[in-house]
Amino acid sequence: MLELLKRFYASFGLPRLIILGFFIILNIMAIVLEVNFPELVSASMVRIAMNGVLVLAILPSIACGTGPNFGVSLGILCGLVGGLIAMELRLDGYTNFFMAIVFSMPFAVAVGLGYGWLMNKVKGSEMMFALFIGWSAVSLMKIFWLVAPFDNPEMAWPIGSGVRVTISLVNRELAQLLNQTWSFSVAGITFPTGLILFFLFCCFLVWLFMRSKTGIAMLAAGDNPRFAEAAGINVDRQRIYGTIISTMLGAVGILVYAQSFGFFQLYEGPHFMPMIAVAAILIGGASIKKASIANVIIGVILFQGILVVAMPVFNIFTQDMASMAEISRVIIQNGIILYALTQVVSGRD
Amino acid sequence: MPEQQYLLQMQDVGKSYYGTVVLQDIQLALKPGEIHAVVGENGAGKSTLMNILFGMPVIHATGGYLGKVLIEGNQVDITSPQQAMEAGIGMVHQEFMLLPNYSITENIKLNREILKDNLFSRIFGPKMKSLDFKTMNKDARKALDTLDMDIEEYVKVAGLPVGHMQFTEIAREIDKANLKVMVFDEPTAVLAESEASNLLRAMQKIAGQGIAILFITHRLDEVMEVADTITVLRDGRLVATKPKKETNIVEMAELMVGRKIETITRRKDQLKEGQVVAAIKNLTVRMPGEYVKTLDLEVFKGEILGIGGLAGQGKIGVANGIMGLYPTKGSVEINGKPLQLNNPRESMKRKIAFLSEDRRGVGLLLDSSIELNIVVTAIENQNRFIRRLGPFTQIDNSAIREHALKMIKELDIRCTGPNQLVRRLSGGNQQKVCIARALTLNPEILLVSEPTRGIDVGAKRLVLETLVKLNEETGITIIMTSSELAELRSVCDRIAIVTDGTVAGILKPDDSDADYGLMMAGQKRRKGA
Amino acid sequence: MSSETVEKVAQKPGGKFKQALIGFLTAHMVTIMFVLLSLLALYLSGMNATLYLNDIISRVSRNSFLVLALIIPVVAGMGLNFAIVLGAMAAQAVIIFVTHWGVGGFAGILLSMALVTPLGIFLGYLTGKLLNRTKGQEMITGLILGFFAAGIYWFIFLQLVGGFIPMDNEVLVLSSGVGIRTTVDLSGGLRYGLDDVWRLSLPVVMLLFGAIFASIQGFSYLKSERQGESKSRFYYGIVIALAAAAGGIFLIGSGSLINNITVPAGTWIAIGLLCLFINFFTRTKMGQDMRSVGQDRHVAAVSGIPVDKIRIIAIIMSTVLAGWGHIIFLQNMGAFSTYGSYEQIGFYAIAAILIGGATVTKATIGQALLGVFLFHTLFIVAPAAGRETFGDAQIGEYFRVFVAYGVIGLTLAMHAWKVRLQSQQKLGR
């Protein structure tokens, strides 16, 4: 029994135990302090499901061996471009949402192809390179947003060219679209059914893919590239596939996120999103080299759950709860990434 | 005080790793100015002996060694390379320990820089002393002159010819003021012939200054040229120590190989030299450290062909080349039809399967389940174990499970179930998973490299028996590459010895030890068998 | 690209000059691209020379020290030290307290530097320990560590100061009584504490610089002990120094507006001393050990050099220097944003040194100073160029941020690619 516990501890790692403990303590305190629990659960579910697809986008990149995709902001940017095109065409509701996904896909595939090709050139420094190519792209796109030729007044500046910093989705019946689909309330808890189903559907698709011939080849390429070469698998090509899928999911992820949030955030928004998503999958038990759908779901529940529950609990201890929540996010998020990095080297055999 | 006359003595030295004895009862004594050669096959214990002498961490992280080491008659306990250097032991490593962007001087004086005081060093301590390049260059010049090297001491090491690099290493050792014993670990392996003879001359010159030299090698001709005394190791034991005058190449070869064969339940019927299943011509494989150079070899249907030879001679490259894992040239005909080279998929399509020598590196997906390991190559190359739905594919879990269970039973893989991660299996069971994966491809030819490496003794036998059983029951042709000659001689029909990238000759399992020894040491060539 | 490539190319017979030129261009691609870009932006901005000179002098003097703090970890083979933001945070922490105590001017600067030293050593030690556990991934670890440390820094200065850590100061602390305000004003305190120690007009400084630099070059020419070192470097140095001196004399005589531009000589002396120190340090035993560890950890370890310890010392030195550098930076700025100032420090310093031609494995004082000059030239002129060309200064600002990230990404990619090519060549022999 003790042996089993030890083994569990070794594979789970101290930081994850701390995070799990923190989550449990927060929940107990929330109950003890009699904060509005149903509201908290409802808010958690929304936050978990709206971030879920972005976290899912990290999975294929880990699976194919390029490591957690710190450059998923490239996919996010593609998603935003698709979203803006749908806005420009003044589409409404579901049409807008799904056409935005359709519009963003060609961009995501093209960008993912180029990005994956580059990732093969920088083997060994993928994470660092991904971070900076993501950040460069975000700042380059800021210039694009400034000159973008859109003229729907909902998003364009009234004078000159370019699009606004935040674009409201309310007028296009897009805000909360999925959240409200088949939504229902039980005991004061509101279930964002459509949003949750959409996230789970995406997970299901990725699960199916990982069980296909290509998916198996990708797993092999990511697990052991030299094995894969010997088994006749084109490792570089699998890495490109993984990067493309990750980019595509990133595009879908931001559209899901934005509809729940109610706004497109163009300029600063995508900057730190990749790190939040990467942190979530790592919290869920993934490593730099291996990840599963379960890691995605557990991770996003724990991480986003903490962020939601922490708010009202902190409110009791400090006047400045917003900053306290932000502080705990930053510490958890970067702490878990640092932990994962130390595991790469010491865990190698 | 007879002991005083020896510079270095090793008495009753032994070493075991995790209960496996790799070195036992070694006695060694070196006089000043003596060149003492230590010869032996791979795994005879040469490098362990050197690691002990040089205080390598690998020895002390695994519980130290037995016996005594004496320098000038005083017992020393060497627990780090630093201490070895302080005790007067110098070493020229097989891999160069040089920093390419430093000059020869800086490399010779690496971490032994000559320093001079300055203002800061008086305040902040000796680490802030400046380097005294003038004196350092002077010392370096002196060491280089001793070796008759006329290259400038301030030249950068990067881009120097290999021979010069090695001389730089040697210069570093002889620059050490207290050098008493110098170890050369396979020093000529990387050198061209003329460079090698330069080196041998330099060794004699160093010995002439009263320094004792320990010369580790497998090149018997070099031993005969320079050594005063020769010690032969085999299987971790000292077989013989003789003055050069009292022995000859043939005797040494015999001693090196020895005879310790436990025959595995092998049918003893005469091999039918019939159908050629694979004809290899002019095969050149650019595998780092295991170069194959224009090798010719014929493989008969249904036989177990062994490929033996010393490490670094190219035997490992043959199978890797046929599988297309390293850049390959030449021609390979399988059943009379040419095989497209440099393409693993093609090789598998032609019903060749491969068990890599690097089991954990190339042979397995360590973090995946046993069943996935068994079927993944078949999924990828033969579209088996998958279901198709139009353009979509899904793996066929029940078929995979059924096949995996069958394989686990047939090969007796000890595991908790087909879902267990391969990383958690023992070496022998991991190897069986590899065999299962290869068999799943239904091959006609099975290439097996170092099948028993890193596997404990009992399991070794099981793996070999499995291979023999397969060969007998299914008639599959097996090409087995191994560093352990005894192993090859116990299961193979014929054994090709690869030396310097080509086949030096093909021997029968019951040929004499001397034949094997000489052929492996590159002293003898014979065509056919 | 390293200088070896250049040499190799140059050695090929036939079209020697053309080969050498191509070699030079590829080796200095980033720097050359940047010179062209800066010139273009300078032209588009239509900026006046005096204004530009004034701005670039203050930017170069406040940033150089920080950028120079990056050199030592590169020498020790740890890449670009993104963790210098920890030094910057330490500096801000110290400055907040020094400001609270009301110590200003040069005394305040000295006090801050004295206090930031032990803090920097402590943080550097922890960083070094962590980086020793993530060998081969030092840069991303340092980068993420910077973000992680920011969380702790926020916690201390937003949640603890004023409450758990008592601080009664209406100017610094938020009205709620807990947490430091988002901007800290240093005017009347540390502002210009070092800059104002000694101000000189630009032409005088050029003259002095010329004289000093020429004598240093001459001195080190005579003292040069490493044989085989190219002597032409010294001649170039002396020519540059003399040109600067001559320019200074000319400007003093011409009575141009440039005579009104002053130079914070105190800060420049600090930068100069750091340059001399780095130069001296690389020639000491400790410096040689770092260079050895930087080239090959394994060989260094076998030669008995305590690799991990040397790496920790390199990071400690870098962190402390960054702390001092950030103090110099902030005293010139005169105010700082409590929760953000340090963040860009790492990126901008690293972008600057890379633009100067440094790589992950090689960085020199010259590259650091050239890089600061080029990068901040773009910083000054990009918004103006954006306004003149597109009618929007914002474009120029976004562009310079893009350039900072882009140049880091590009250099990393080129380095990773080169390493891969080399290992492939090694395998293929």
Side-chain angles (χ1 to χ4, degrees):
Chain A
M1 189 61 203
L2 196 71
E3 187 56 32
L4 207 70
L5 275 175
K6 258 188 199 157
R7 197 186 246 184
F8 172 75
Y9 173 78
S11 66
F12 204 65
L14 184 63
R16 287 193 192 98
L17 275 182
I18 294 173
I19 291 169
L20 184 64
F22 188 51
F23 183 60
I24 293 169
I25 291 170
L26 279 177
N27 276 300
I28 294 171
M29 285 171 83
I31 296 169
V32 173
L33 296 167
E34 292 178 5
V35 294
N36 187 342
F37 204 67
E39 198 175 282
L40 219 53
V41 174
S42 313
S44 300
M45 279 194 292
V46 170
R47 283 290 291 273
I48 289 164
M50 75 192 253
N51 279 285
V53 183
L54 282 172
V55 180
L56 185 65
I58 308 300
L59 176 65
S61 69
I62 297 181
C64 75
T66 59
N69 187 359
F70 281 101
V72 78
S73 32
L74 291 170
I76 293 177
L77 292 168
C78 293
L80 289 174
V81 170
L84 292 194
I85 294 174
M87 293 286 282
E88 179 72 5
L89 298 175
R90 295 172 172 73
L91 303 173
D92 288 323
Y94 290 112
T95 328
N96 182 314
F97 180 72
F98 288 106
M99 285 316 284
I101 292 179
V102 171
F103 291 142
S104 63
M105 283 305 114
F107 295 104
V109 171
V111 168
L113 188 69
Y115 175 36
W117 182 81
L118 282 172
M119 287 292 243
N120 284 336
K121 297 274 165 243
V122 299
K123 273 183 198 163
S125 327
E126 291 99 336
M127 289 185 283
M128 198 66 182
F129 177 70
L131 258 178
F132 278 94
I133 198 174
W135 281 338
S136 327
V138 170
S139 42
L140 193 61
M141 284 305 279
K142 284 182 191 167
I143 299 177
F144 173 73
W145 306 133
L146 276 182
V147 298
F150 292 117
D151 55 28
N152 181 343
E154 285 165 42
M155 51 187 201
W157 292 111
I159 35 168
S161 61
V163 281
R164 293 165 200 265
V165 176
T166 48
I167 295 164
S168 169
L169 307 180
V170 179
N171 293 337
R172 296 257 75 95
E173 295 162 28
L174 193 56
Q176 313 277 307
L177 177 76
L178 294 178
N179 303 36
Q180 282 160 10
T181 307
W182 302 322
S183 153
F184 61 91
S185 294
V186 178
I189 300 175
T190 312
F191 288 85
T193 321
L195 185 63
I196 292 176
L197 284 181
F198 189 86
F199 168 48
L200 292 179
F201 178 68
C202 289
C203 289
F204 177 67
L205 284 184
V206 172
W207 182 77
L208 279 184
F209 171 76
M210 295 319 281
R211 288 165 43 87
S212 71
K213 187 181 163 187
T214 316
I216 295 287
M218 188 181 290
L219 276 181
D223 187 341
N224 184 347
R226 292 175 61 206
F227 174 95
E229 291 286 2
I233 295 168
N234 186 334
V235 173
D236 281 4
R237 188 182 295 163
Q238 293 303 331
R239 286 162 57 100
I240 291 179
Y241 288 161
T243 314
I244 291 176
I245 294 170
S246 178
T247 309
M248 284 161 64
L249 283 169
V252 177
I254 191 63
L255 292 169
V256 175
Y257 182 93
Q259 65 81 31
S260 176
F261 191 58
F263 299 96
F264 282 138
Q265 280 185 307
L266 295 183
Y267 291 79
E268 295 299 334
H271 196 81
F272 279 116
M273 278 187 164
M275 293 175 80
I276 298 174
V278 168
I281 198 169
L282 295 177
I283 289 171
S287 72
I288 305 280
K289 286 215 44 159
K290 202 163 171 65
S292 67
I293 304 267
N295 299 145
V296 172
I297 296 175
I298 296 171
V300 73
I301 289 176
L302 268 178
F303 192 29
Q304 295 298 331
I306 285 178
L307 298 184
V308 174
V309 182
M311 277 287 219
V313 175
F314 287 152
N315 196 17
I316 288 151
F317 296 99
T318 164
Q319 298 115 318
D320 191 3
M321 60 154 184
S323 78
M324 193 60 216
E326 178 69 1
I327 289 167
S328 43
R329 179 184 71 76
V330 165
I331 291 179
I332 292 173
Q333 168 191 313
N334 296 298
I336 193 77
I337 299 176
L338 282 182
Y339 170 74
L341 284 172
T342 61
Q343 295 312 100
V344 193
V345 182
S346 53
R348 190 179 288 161
D349 59 354
Chain B
M1 297 258 271
E3 288 194 342
Q4 284 294 336
Q5 69 180 93
Y6 291 110
L7 271 182
L8 167 76
Q9 285 166 282
M10 298 179 93
Q11 296 176 346
D12 308 319
V13 168
K15 169 74 193 163
S16 55
Y17 288 111
Y18 310 108
T20 317
V21 177
V22 293
L23 209 58
Q24 216 175 341
D25 298 331
I26 303 295
Q27 320 285 341
L28 219 57
L30 273 75
K31 286 182 207 156
E34 175 183 346
I35 299 182
H36 192 126
V38 176
V39 296
E41 273 189 284
N42 313 96
K46 288 176 297 181
S47 18
T48 310
L49 190 68
M50 290 315 109
N51 286 342
I52 290 173
L53 189 58
F54 210 59
M56 285 305 200
V58 58
I59 299 295
H60 299 277
T62 53
Y65 61 92
L66 300 172
K68 284 196 283 188
V69 177
L70 289 86
I71 302 272
E72 291 181 326
N74 304 313
Q75 189 176 347
V76 287
D77 185 28
I78 296 166
T79 53
S80 72
Q82 195 75 17
Q83 280 178 344
M85 287 179 224
E86 279 159 21
I89 300 168
M91 177 132 172
V92 176
H93 299 268
Q94 229 170 327
E95 285 170 47
F96 296 143
M97 294 292 172
L98 295 174
L99 297 176
N101 288 331
Y102 273 179
S103 66
I104 292 180
T105 299
E106 285 173 296
N107 270 297
I108 287 177
K109 287 291 184 183
L110 186 59
N111 204 29
R112 296 184 303 111
E113 291 89 354
I114 297 170
L115 305 174
K116 56 184 180 191
D117 268 316
N118 58 45
L119 182 66
F120 286 92
S121 69
R122 284 179 234 275
I123 305 168
F124 295 107
K127 279 283 185 186
M128 295 303 276
K129 284 186 184 181
S130 331
L131 304 188
D132 181 356
F133 274 96
K134 241 178 227 153
T135 324
M136 279 164 63
N137 280 335
K138 220 178 280 163
D139 279 12
R141 187 70 260 157
K142 209 178 108 199
L144 292 173
D145 286 344
T146 318
L147 295 169
D148 292 331
M149 247 181 107
D150 52 2
I151 189 162
E152 303 294 347
E153 67 273 13
Y154 51 77
V155 173
K156 259 195 195 178
V157 165
L160 286 183
V162 181
H164 282 67
M165 291 199 192
Q166 187 156 47
F167 272 73
T168 306
E169 286 236 319
I170 298 169
R172 170 158 71 205
E173 299 310 317
I174 60 176
D175 179 57
K176 292 174 183 168
N178 69 338
L179 183 71
K180 297 185 187 92
V181 182
M182 198 153 156
V183 183
F184 285 82
D185 187 5
E186 305 270 6
T188 52
V190 290
L191 299 184
E193 213 159 295
S194 65
E195 288 175 327
S197 59
N198 276 341
L199 176 76
L200 296 181
R201 260 203 310 282
M203 280 168 68
Q204 280 166 323
K205 202 166 169 193
I206 296 166
Q209 298 183 335
I211 291 166
I213 289 182
L214 203 54
F215 178 28
I216 300 168
T217 186
H218 58 254
R219 292 195 181 170
L220 299 180
D221 50 345
E222 288 172 359
V223 170
M224 293 312 284
E225 200 178 324
V226 295
D228 300 311
T229 322
I230 299 160
T231 291
V232 182
L233 298 187
R234 190 206 311 146
D235 298 328
R237 286 167 187 276
L238 191 147
V239 184
T241 299
K242 294 189 167 185
K244 178 175 71 179
K245 284 170 237 131
E246 294 171 19
T247 185
N248 55 53
I249 284 197
V250 176
E251 189 193 12
M252 276 194 293
E254 255 172 13
L255 289 169
M256 234 168 86
V257 173
R259 188 103 218 216
K260 189 203 66 175
I261 299 175
E262 24 173 339
T263 322
I264 289 197
T265 52
R266 178 89 184 106
R267 53 146 199 243
K268 276 288 154 213
D269 54 341
Q270 209 52 37
L271 180 82
K272 53 268 171 201
E273 285 206 1
Q275 200 185 342
V276 174
V277 69
I280 301 163
K281 285 195 194 80
N282 270 325
L283 189 76
T284 298
V285 184
R286 290 202 337 205
M287 179 174 181
E290 290 280 349
Y291 245 60
V292 179
K293 300 162 197 162
T294 60
L295 173 140
D296 295 327
L297 187 63
E298 284 190 335
V299 185
F300 302 122
K301 194 173 176 65
E303 72 169 335
I304 300 183
L305 173 69
I307 301 183
L310 293 162
Q313 298 293 323
K315 66 173 184 300
I316 301 282
V318 179
N320 279 287
I322 296 174
M323 280 316 283
L325 300 182
Y326 289 93
T328 304
K329 278 189 299 199
S331 90
V332 177
E333 283 184 3
I334 305 293
N335 290 325
K337 283 187 207 127
L339 171 78
Q340 190 192 335
L341 294 174
N342 298 313
N343 185 345
R345 290 185 90 95
E346 264 316 297
S347 302
M348 278 180 274
K349 213 175 265 173
R350 302 295 296 276
K351 296 200 165 283
I352 308 172
F354 178 48
L355 264 63
S356 173
E357 68 287 349
D358 186 358
R359 194 169 57 240
R360 294 167 71 86
V362 179
L364 292 166
L365 296 170
L366 286 172
D367 289 311
S368 299
S369 64
I370 295 174
E371 54 184 8
L372 185 65
N373 268 282
I374 292 177
V375 296
V376 64
T377 330
I379 291 180
E380 189 55 32
N381 292 284
Q382 300 176 340
N383 285 325
R384 286 161 60 206
F385 305 107
I386 54 175
R387 275 193 284 240
R388 285 192 170 275
L389 303 136
F392 301 106
T393 51
Q394 282 289 292
I395 51 172
D396 184 346
N397 268 343
S398 56
I400 291 174
R401 179 58 54 90
E402 194 186 324
H403 178 76
L405 286 172
K406 198 180 101 197
M407 279 298 178
I408 288 172
K409 191 159 164 252
E410 270 177 19
L411 297 175
D412 191 24
I413 302 172
R414 302 286 163 83
C415 58
T416 57
N419 261 328
Q420 196 178 12
L421 294 189
V422 169
R423 185 184 290 281
R424 307 224 186 284
L425 297 179
S426 70
N429 283 311
Q430 286 182 344
Q431 188 62 279
K432 286 182 184 169
V433 173
C434 290
I435 296 175
R437 183 169 52 79
L439 292 182
T440 305
L441 294 170
N442 299 321
E444 281 174 12
I445 302 173
L446 185 60
L447 304 172
V448 186
S449 288
E450 304 284 3
T452 61
R453 186 189 273 179
I455 293 177
D456 53 74
V457 183
K460 271 185 186 180
R461 210 185 152 82
L462 279 175
V463 168
L464 292 177
E465 278 172 357
T466 309
L467 290 174
V468 171
K469 200 171 122 217
L470 275 172
N471 170 261
E472 284 174 350
E473 287 175 2
T474 65
I476 188 172
T477 311
I478 295 179
I479 304 175
M480 175 169 147
T481 312
S482 175
S483 298
E484 294 194 29
L485 205 51
E487 181 177 300
L488 290 175
R489 290 169 87 175
S490 71
V491 299
C492 295
D493 299 304
R494 300 186 301 151
I495 297 159
I497 300 296
V498 174
T499 312
D500 199 19
T502 67
V503 176
I506 294 178
L507 296 171
K508 290 202 186 68
D510 47 8
D511 277 336
S512 75
D513 293 344
D515 281 348
Y516 274 100
L518 290 171
M519 204 171 266
M520 284 173 42
Q523 298 301 315
K524 194 170 171 182
R525 290 188 157 260
R526 193 164 64 174
K527 279 280 164 221
Chain C
M1 298 282 164
S2 68
S3 52
E4 286 114 84
T5 352
V6 186
E7 282 161 21
K8 236 177 248 162
V9 172
Q11 276 159 10
K12 277 186 195 156
K16 216 173 175 185
F17 176 73
K18 197 177 155 198
Q19 296 278 13
L21 185 70
I22 292 170
F24 178 82
L25 290 180
T26 42
H28 302 281
M29 194 170 81
V30 175
T31 313
I32 291 168
M33 259 165 42
F34 220 82
V35 170
L36 295 177
L37 196 65
S38 301
L39 285 177
L40 179 72
L42 196 61
Y43 169 74
L44 289 176
S45 71
M47 211 172 212
N48 125 336
T50 313
L51 213 61
Y52 163 73
L53 272 177
N54 201 18
D55 213 353
I56 192 76
I57 283 169
S58 80
R59 280 176 171 274
V60 167
S61 40
R62 72 172 173 245
N63 282 293
S64 295
F65 205 97
L66 268 168
V67 177
L68 289 167
L70 292 167
I71 292 177
I72 287 172
V74 173
V75 170
M78 304 173 80
L80 304 161
N81 183 15
F82 283 89
I84 58 165
V85 295
L86 270 76
M89 282 178 214
Q92 290 190 189
V94 165
I95 285 178
I96 287 171
F97 279 95
V98 170
T99 307
H100 172 58
W101 297 326
V103 189
F106 189 55
I109 299 286
L110 288 182
L111 178 64
S112 308
M113 284 188 167
L115 288 178
V116 88
T117 307
L119 194 54
I121 291 174
F122 174 68
L123 292 175
Y125 176 76
L126 294 183
T127 310
K129 278 272 181 196
L130 179 68
L131 295 189
N132 278 342
R133 289 193 58 181
T134 57
K135 289 191 185 115
Q137 303 278 353
E138 288 96 346
M139 285 193 280
I140 191 158
T141 309
L143 182 61
I144 305 282
L145 179 65
F147 292 132
F148 179 77
I152 293 171
Y153 173 90
W154 292 350
F155 182 67
I156 294 171
F157 287 97
L158 271 176
Q159 302 287 343
L160 296 185
V161 170
F164 191 74
I165 303 171
M167 179 182 277
D168 191 14
N169 188 326
E170 277 177 23
V171 185
L172 284 175
V173 178
L174 290 163
S175 52
S176 63
V178 177
I180 301 291
R181 287 179 193 276
T182 46
T183 39
V184 173
D185 186 8
L186 300 178
S187 47
L190 291 177
R191 185 169 193 197
Y192 296 144
L194 184 58
D195 287 0
D196 277 353
V197 169
W198 193 23
R199 276 193 188 269
L200 288 171
S201 85
L202 177 62
V204 175
V205 169
M206 283 167 73
L207 190 59
L208 281 176
F209 167 79
I212 295 170
F213 192 62
S215 36
I216 290 176
Q217 289 291 322
F219 181 69
S220 47
Y221 175 85
L222 293 176
K223 287 267 292 181
S224 155
E225 282 169 1
R226 289 183 206 207
Q227 291 175 40
E229 226 170 13
S230 155
K231 303 274 181 193
S232 59
R233 205 163 71 87
F234 297 115
Y235 297 130
Y236 286 131
I238 289 170
V239 169
I240 291 170
L242 292 178
I249 294 171
F250 170 75
L251 284 171
I252 294 172
S254 74
S256 122
L257 270 180
I258 294 173
N259 281 304
N260 296 340
I261 299 175
T262 62
V263 168
T267 307
W268 281 37
I269 287 171
I271 295 167
L273 286 176
L274 179 58
C275 293
L276 288 179
F277 172 75
I278 291 173
N279 202 343
F280 160 79
F281 181 76
T282 48
R283 285 154 201 265
T284 62
K285 170 67 179 148
M286 177 66 81
Q288 186 81 356
D289 284 355
M290 276 184 195
R291 298 201 314 139
S292 307
V293 171
Q295 279 188 65
D296 191 326
R297 287 199 299 267
H298 178 61
V299 170
V302 172
S303 328
I305 298 173
V307 172
D308 284 3
K309 199 174 137 199
I310 296 285
R311 283 163 55 95
I312 291 177
I313 292 172
I315 288 294
I316 288 179
M317 290 179 71
S318 177
T319 311
V320 172
L321 289 176
W324 293 354
H326 200 53
I327 291 171
I328 293 175
F329 179 84
L330 293 178
Q331 60 88 31
N332 177 281
M333 294 289 282
F336 65 93
S337 114
T338 319
Y339 306 108
S341 267
Y342 50 80
E343 199 184 304
Q344 297 300 332
I345 289 299
F347 295 126
Y348 289 166
I350 285 167
I353 200 167
L354 294 177
I355 286 163
T359 63
V360 175
T361 48
K362 192 166 192 291
T364 64
I365 296 171
Q367 288 164 339
L369 296 179
L370 175 66
V372 173
F373 172 73
L374 286 175
F375 184 56
H376 286 280
T377 296
L378 187 81
F379 246 75
I380 297 165
V381 297
R387 194 173 47 238
E388 293 299 319
T389 327
F390 302 100
D392 194 344
Q394 195 73 43
I395 288 186
E397 269 167 43
Y398 287 149
F399 182 71
R400 65 192 194 185
V401 177
F402 163 69
V403 163
Y405 288 139
V407 88
I408 298 175
L410 180 70
T411 321
L412 291 173
M414 275 167 33
H415 176 69
W417 195 36
K418 200 176 107 192
V419 169
R420 252 191 92 213
L421 281 184
Q422 277 170 352
S423 69
Q424 273 171 2
Q425 274 166 4
K426 218 179 191 176
L427 281 177
R429 270 202 274 197

